[in-house]
Amino acid sequence: MSERYERGMDVRRAVLGDDHVDRAETCKTDLDQPFQTLITEAAWGTVWSSEGISARERSMLTLALLAALGNFEEIPMHIRATKRTGASKQDVLEAFQHVAIYAGVPRANQALKLAKQTYAEMEAE
């Protein structure tokens, strides 16, 4: 694998945790192998690996973008990642308040619902 892939896998594990990445790797097939390589190199090995902004800020941006675009299925995963990126519950609330104003209250409301559920699960673990 490329250096960017290796760097991406390191960052992916640092942000999402070994358990999550190991599960995802186990589920890989020939069909999605090229896609998994793409996101590991591009998202994790390039964007998330950049030193331009902190992991905390990147986490807030990611959550806001997921909510604004209605990509709710990945919000719980990125809420769980906040314990590794340093984004606090208050940071997440602030991000979703921006979503409410700039992308719509229903999307922010759904994102907050998912965040509350995920934080409750995390506290119970």
Side-chain angles (χ1 to χ4, degrees), residues 5-116:
Y5 181 90
E6 295 300 328
R7 181 176 61 242
M9 191 57 80
D10 289 344
V11 172
R12 186 177 174 197
R13 287 183 179 283
V15 172
L16 301 178
D18 287 330
D19 290 342
H20 175 85
V21 176
D22 290 344
R23 278 192 307 275
E25 287 294 295
T26 300
C27 294
K28 253 190 325 195
T29 67
D30 290 341
L31 177 64
D32 68 339
Q33 173 66 45
F35 176 76
Q36 292 296 323
T37 299
L38 172 70
I39 62 172
T40 300
E41 289 181 346
W44 299 106
T46 301
V47 175
W48 275 86
S49 293
S50 169
E51 295 179 8
I53 60 175
S54 69
R56 174 185 160 267
E57 293 164 319
R58 206 168 298 282
S59 197
M60 294 166 61
L61 282 168
T62 300
L63 284 162
L65 286 164
L66 289 170
L69 294 170
N71 294 319
F72 300 115
E73 65 280 353
E74 290 205 0
I75 287 177
M77 174 180 69
H78 281 281
I79 290 292
R80 289 182 179 285
T82 62
K83 71 181 181 182
R84 292 177 194 85
T85 64
S88 68
K89 288 182 182 180
Q90 185 64 37
D91 291 335
V92 172
L93 171 62
E94 293 291 336
F96 290 158
Q97 286 180 332
H98 269 69
V99 170
I101 298 303
Y102 292 101
V105 170
R107 289 191 174 183
N109 190 42
Q110 179 64 21
L112 279 168
K113 178 182 172 184
L114 292 168
K116 289 185 342 186

